[in-house]
């Protein structure tokens, strides 16, 4: 017997009121009949009827998701804010320091497809609650590891990836099911403001909490308490909206999930998704490298310039660079994300390829400024900060736009899976290995030079120059995305409206008669 009683617990709506209410022609809030193939854009009352949530409640859900996103990135970069102290405490080199971030990203990357699969099929709120609760406990535990157990720090940082994977693959799809068109773009920009702001707060919290407490371990104990608040807010505020309902025609049937392999085949045949993911991989490579190594590089630059005493074994590393770099990351993130979304929104009126072109301009423009910031560090730390500010602003223009591209070229029932595999690709080839790669190159260069503070600075300087080259490659990938973006977006719209049914491979479906007509059904659903 069909019904809610037979559905898996996690797939049920939170409340009967959250189920979609069919729109009725002529009533306030209903959607006008669009031209065939064009997406319907409901008004505020129409959105409330479809989602079962008021505009205020929907905005509050976005605020909660934004808070958790900020918290995730704050925790991720708290470690970078106290990295010199961690190196001194565990007596490790640059390559081992890079492993801290690499292990975390690798775990996050491996688990993302699991939560992507679950997020397309089960209740997303409960998945996020469980993941963030686990992340908070593991993060707290990582602050009590003794100095002879560095491997245990690596293990706990890897387990932190569980919580982040459960959230990052799912949260954007909730926003996509609450808003449409320009309103969705604005809400995504608010959501992605949290990435640079949270990253900057991580540096700031890490350095200032360490200074106040006199012990870097306390920097890792801030976010777990805030994580408990996040779980409570998720449980009490967030409701599960119906998947894809805000984008469907009022007379089209609901979309049903397809098999995981069918999802993967469709995503692999979507050039806009593949190329934009490659472009975002370059963004992840550059930001991952800078996130971990920029404060250490700036500290070494000040040591070479004679502005700061060197960080000796057994001493606490005293430097304002983590604080300054954190503030720059916050400011450039707010400016870059807002600038990218606004420029794209204005250009979209005259150029439907505006989104990937703005992303390409941001990456190609950031590369020379990041290169200049490295070359000027030997002469002027002020010039270095100025070029970092410009480069990070241009780099931050991509965050919200890339997410929006994914949401409108991929159908709703595949979005969590698409988010997951974009995370896998961007981290596998991006920030999972880039911190370790930069540290490894730095260590290899130092072996051929006489030991000195200058050689430490130059080795890290030359290894970070790889970021400018990778950024240029990412810009080329976004230019490729611009070639395919119009066709892929139109196909996704037609599919959601029920005007372009997607046929599976011939070996996955058979034809059976049903009341006088042939119907394709999956082989697995037929009893032979």
């Amino acid at each position: 017997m069909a019904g809610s009683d037979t559905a898996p617990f996690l797939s049920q709506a939170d409340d009967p009121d959250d189920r979609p209410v069919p729109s009725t022609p002529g009533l306030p809030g209903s959607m006008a009949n669009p031209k065939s193939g064009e997406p319907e854009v409901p008004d505020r009352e129409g959105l409330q009827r479809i989602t079962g949530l008021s505009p205020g409640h929907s905005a509050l859900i976005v605020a909660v998701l934004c808070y958790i996103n900020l918290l995730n990135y704050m925790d991720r970069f708290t470690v970078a804010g106290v990295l010199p102290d961690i190196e001194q405490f565990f007596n490790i080199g640059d390559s081992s320091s890079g492993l801290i971030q690499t292990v975390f990203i690798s775990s996050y990357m491996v688990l993302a497809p699991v939560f992507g699969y679950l997020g397309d099929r089960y209740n997303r709120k409960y998945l996020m609650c469980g993941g963030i609760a686990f992340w908070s406990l593991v993060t707290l535990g990582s602050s009590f590891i003794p100095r002879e157990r560095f491997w245990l720090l690596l293990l706990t940082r890897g387990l932190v990836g569980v919580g982040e994977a459960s959230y990052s693959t799912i949260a954007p799809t909730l926003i996509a099911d609450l808003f449409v068109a320009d309103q969705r773009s604005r809400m995504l920009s608010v959501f992605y403001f949290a990435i640079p702001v949270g990253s900057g707060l991580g540096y700031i919290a890490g350095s200032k909490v360490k200074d106040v407490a006199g012990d870097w371990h306390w920097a890792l104990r801030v976010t777990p308490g805030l994580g408990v608040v996040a779980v409570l807010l998720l449980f009490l505020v967030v409701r599960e909206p119906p998947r894809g309902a805000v984008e469907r025609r009022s007379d089209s049937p609901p979309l049903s999930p397809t098999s995981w392999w069918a999802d993967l085949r469709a995503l692999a045949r979507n050039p806009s998704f593949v190329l934009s993911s490659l472009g975002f991989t370059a963004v992840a490579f550059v930001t991952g490298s800078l996130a971990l190594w920029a404060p250490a590089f700036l500290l070494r630059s000040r040591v070479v310039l004679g502005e700061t005493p060197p960080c000796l074994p057994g001493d606490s590393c005293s430097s304002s660079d983590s604080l300054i770099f954190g503030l720059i990351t916050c400011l450039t993130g707010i400016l870059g994300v807002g600038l990218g979304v606004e420029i794209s929104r204005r250009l979209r009126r005259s150029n439907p390829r505006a989104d990937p072109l703005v992303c390409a301009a941001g990456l190609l423009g950031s590369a020379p400024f990041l290169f200049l910031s490295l070359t000027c560090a030997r002469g002027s730390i002020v010039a270095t900060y100025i070029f970092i500010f410009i480069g990070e602003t241009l780099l931050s223009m991509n965050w919200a736009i890339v997410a929006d591209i994914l949401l409108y070229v991929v159908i709703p029932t595949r979005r969590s899976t698409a988010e997951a595999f974009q995370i896998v690709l961007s981290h596998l080839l991006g920030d999972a290995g880039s911190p370790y790669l930069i540290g490894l190159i730095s260590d290899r260069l130092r072996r051929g030079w006489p030991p000195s503070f200058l050689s430490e600075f130059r080795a890290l300087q030359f290894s970070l120059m790889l970021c400018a080259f990778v950024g240029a490659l990412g810009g080329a990938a976004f230019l490729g995305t611009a070639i395919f973006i119009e066709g892929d977006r139109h196909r996704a719209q037609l599919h959601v409206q029920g005007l372009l049914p997607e046929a599976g491979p011939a070996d996955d479906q058979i034809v059976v008669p049903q009341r006088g007509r042939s119907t394709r059904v999956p082989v697995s659903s037929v009893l032979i």
Side-chain angles (χ1 to χ4, degrees), residues 61-227:
I61 290 174
V62 174
V64 171
L65 297 178
C66 187
Y67 164 73
I68 301 171
N69 202 30
L70 184 145
L71 193 59
N72 278 342
Y73 280 85
M74 182 177 169
D75 172 77
R76 186 182 300 188
F77 294 107
T78 297
V79 172
V82 294
L83 186 62
D85 295 275
I86 292 176
E87 287 183 325
Q88 295 298 330
F89 183 80
F90 289 103
N91 192 25
I92 55 176
D94 287 349
S95 57
S96 296
S97 299
L99 269 179
I100 297 173
Q101 189 77 345
T102 296
V103 168
F104 159 71
I105 294 296
S106 298
S107 167
Y108 173 46
M109 173 186 69
V110 169
L111 291 165
V114 177
F115 284 101
Y117 176 86
L118 297 173
D120 280 333
R121 291 159 177 82
Y122 299 101
N123 189 293
R124 292 169 282 189
K125 181 176 87 171
Y126 297 129
L127 289 171
M128 290 190 292
C129 283
I132 292 171
F134 180 78
W135 157 73
S136 299
L137 289 172
V138 173
T139 301
L140 181 63
S142 69
S143 67
F144 295 98
I145 295 171
R147 65 176 69 244
E148 64 273 10
R149 296 287 189 271
F150 176 67
W151 64 268
L152 193 54
L153 177 66
L154 294 178
L155 176 62
T156 55
R157 292 308 296 174
L159 292 175
V160 167
V162 175
E164 297 225 15
S166 71
Y167 179 78
S168 299
T169 57
I170 294 174
T173 68
L174 280 172
I175 297 175
D177 289 335
L178 291 171
F179 303 97
V180 290
D182 285 346
Q183 194 175 14
R184 176 194 289 171
S185 297
R186 284 192 292 269
M187 290 300 175
L188 284 172
S189 68
V190 172
F191 178 77
Y192 283 102
F193 275 139
I195 293 179
V197 174
S199 303
L201 288 176
Y203 293 114
I204 295 169
S207 60
K208 298 311 291 182
V209 170
K210 178 203 73 174
D211 291 342
V212 172
D215 184 358
W216 66 268
H217 291 88
W218 283 99
L220 301 182
R221 298 167 187 166
V222 175
T223 50
L226 299 175

Side-chain angles (χ1 to χ4, degrees), residues 256-272:
S256 300
T258 53
S259 71
W260 194 62
W261 289 113
D263 291 347
L264 296 186
R265 283 194 296 266
L267 293 174
R269 293 194 297 262
N270 188 326
S272 294

Side-chain angles (χ1 to χ4, degrees), residues 283 332-333 335-337 339-340 343 358-370 387-399:
V283 177
T332 57
L335 182 62
V337 172
L339 193 63
I343 292 174
V358 170
C359 290
L363 263 178
L364 293 172
S366 68
F369 287 104
L370 293 176
F387 288 130
I388 287 176
F389 186 93
I390 299 173
E392 283 209 327
T393 299
L394 294 171
L395 198 63
S396 298
M397 290 171 62
N398 294 274
W399 290 104

Side-chain angles (χ1 to χ4, degrees), residues 46 130 141-142 148 307 349 381 441 445 482 512:
S142 69
E148 64 273 10
E307 298 179 4
R349 300 169 185 169
I381 197 70
I441 294 173
L445 290 173
V512 297

Side-chain angles (χ1 to χ4, degrees), residues 181-183 185-186 338-351 354-355 358 401 404:
D182 285 346
Q183 194 175 14
S185 297
R186 284 192 292 269
L339 193 63
V341 169
E342 186 61 24
I343 292 174
S344 179
R345 188 181 67 83
R346 291 177 181 273
L347 290 180
R348 210 180 293 161
R349 300 169 185 169
S350 57
N351 188 345
D355 286 351
V358 170
I401 300 177
D404 207 11

Side-chain angles (χ1 to χ4, degrees), residues 428-507:
L428 179 64
L429 302 179
D431 54 356
S434 64
Y436 177 70
L437 179 62
I438 296 299
L440 185 63
I441 294 173
S442 176
D443 279 348
R444 292 293 174 87
L445 290 173
R446 284 165 59 183
R447 289 178 188 175
W449 298 335
S452 67
F453 296 118
L454 177 60
S455 66
E456 292 181 4
F457 163 76
R458 289 178 61 202
L460 191 54
Q461 180 189 43
F462 291 153
S463 61
L464 283 169
M465 287 181 180
L466 180 62
C467 294
F469 175 72
V470 173
L473 291 178
F478 279 119
L479 290 177
T481 306
I483 298 174
F484 302 100
I485 193 76
E486 290 182 89
D488 290 336
R489 181 175 189 171
H490 186 59
R491 275 188 290 274
Q493 289 173 347
L494 291 177
H495 189 95
V496 171
Q497 303 302 326
L499 301 176
L500 185 65
E502 192 169 59
D507 58 348

